[in-house]
Amino acid sequence: MNSLRVIVWGENVQEQTDPAVAAIYPHGMHETIAAGLREWLPEASIGTATLQEPDHGLAEARLAETEVLVWWGHRAHAKVRDDIVDRIERRVREGMGLIVLHSGHYSKIFIRLLGTPCSLKWRVAGERERLWVCAPGHPIAAGLGPFFELAHEEMYGEPFAVPAPDEQVFISWFEGGEVFRSGCCWRRGAGRIFYFRPGHETYPTYLDANVRRVIANAAGWAGSRGQ
Ligand code: ZN
């Protein structure tokens, strides 16, 4: 079998405009996320794409051979071209896996596929986040203990305006008292979708070993070729 083909898409905007973000992610968040995938999935083919490239790096032919697309966006959701969103949606329905990270909850593709506002509560206060594994047998939770923690993250709180997930893998608790459905699976057509909450741009979340493990596990799950 050929190796799993993954693209990590990053909007790559705040890395260029905010020195605090550039200090943590000097090569862009997408490169750090891709490095984590290469660490855990050495056999896979891991590429990157950004908003600024022609077709946002997602030309028809490239997307046609992609098995998993990982998406991080925040400030520039509105700048993503609608015809590219159409293209991604078609590929998901054909069977491409999609992993949407953090502020990607407001991306066009996530809202399109889920069909709900995808809104939530939030607060940037560097709070501790504890991610509880609520589906310990799930492939996305492989290798994790009962929970893991991030010392400083943005808080996301309920209500999270999404359809009830087909599978709930993580629920987060935050220092301020809120909880959030932080790891959710859905299926659309033949495609698998995973939303994973952590990853605010001013914290080194994508350098965290557990976070990297989860994204790699999710790539394996989302790209699992009809199994
Ligand atoms: Zn954020």
Side-chain angles (χ1 to χ4, degrees):
M1 189 183 278
N2 295 326
S3 62
L4 185 69
R5 294 181 300 275
V6 181
I7 293 178
V8 179
W9 189 91
E11 72 172 28
N12 192 34
V13 170
Q14 284 163 287
E15 297 95 319
Q16 312 301 324
T17 57
D18 183 343
V21 178
I24 302 168
Y25 298 108
H27 305 293
M29 299 179 76
H30 51 286
E31 288 296 345
T32 302
I33 295 164
L37 283 165
R38 291 182 189 118
E39 182 184 298
W40 281 102
L41 303 173
E43 307 292 315
S45 159
I46 313 289
T48 61
T50 60
L51 178 71
Q52 297 80 17
E53 294 169 46
D55 276 13
H56 308 328
L58 302 173
E60 189 87 54
R62 188 178 188 207
L63 207 57
E65 60 183 28
T66 298
E67 293 172 285
V68 180
L69 178 63
V70 181
W71 193 272
W72 195 98
H74 180 212
R75 288 283 169 78
H77 293 317
K79 292 189 174 155
V80 176
R81 268 169 40 203
D82 289 328
D83 63 311
I84 306 290
V85 178
D86 295 344
R87 188 179 289 175
I88 299 167
E89 182 189 3
R90 272 198 306 277
R91 282 291 297 128
V92 171
R93 293 189 182 280
E94 285 170 9
M96 182 182 74
L98 177 68
I99 300 172
V100 175
L101 299 172
H102 190 63
S103 41
H105 71 91
Y106 269 154
S107 62
K108 288 182 181 177
I109 186 58
F110 191 61
I111 291 171
R112 167 91 64 90
L113 284 163
L114 295 192
T116 57
C118 302
S119 53
L120 47 79
K121 288 184 189 155
W122 56 276
R123 172 176 62 237
V124 181
E127 291 166 75
R128 177 177 303 277
E129 174 176 10
R130 180 176 297 162
L131 291 102
W132 289 97
V133 175
C134 42
H138 199 284
I140 296 178
L144 302 174
F147 67 87
F148 66 93
E149 291 191 348
L150 298 166
H152 303 287
E153 251 295 351
E154 178 180 12
M155 182 282 291
Y156 275 9
E158 298 281 346
F160 186 19
V162 291
D166 299 328
E167 296 157 77
Q168 187 74 59
V169 185
F170 302 106
I171 293 177
S172 284
W173 164 91
F174 294 88
E175 214 172 335
E178 290 86 355
V179 295
F180 187 77
R181 289 170 288 169
S182 53
C184 307
C185 303
W186 296 271
R187 286 173 171 78
R188 290 293 180 272
R192 294 177 173 193
I193 302 167
F194 181 60
Y195 174 78
F196 188 45
R197 193 218 77 82
H200 187 67
E201 64 276 1
T202 57
Y203 305 116
T205 298
Y206 295 121
L207 296 163
D208 180 86
N210 289 308
V211 167
R212 287 180 159 204
R213 179 85 194 253
V214 169
I215 296 171
N217 287 346
W221 172 82
S224 54
R225 305 171 174 173
Q227 291 159 26

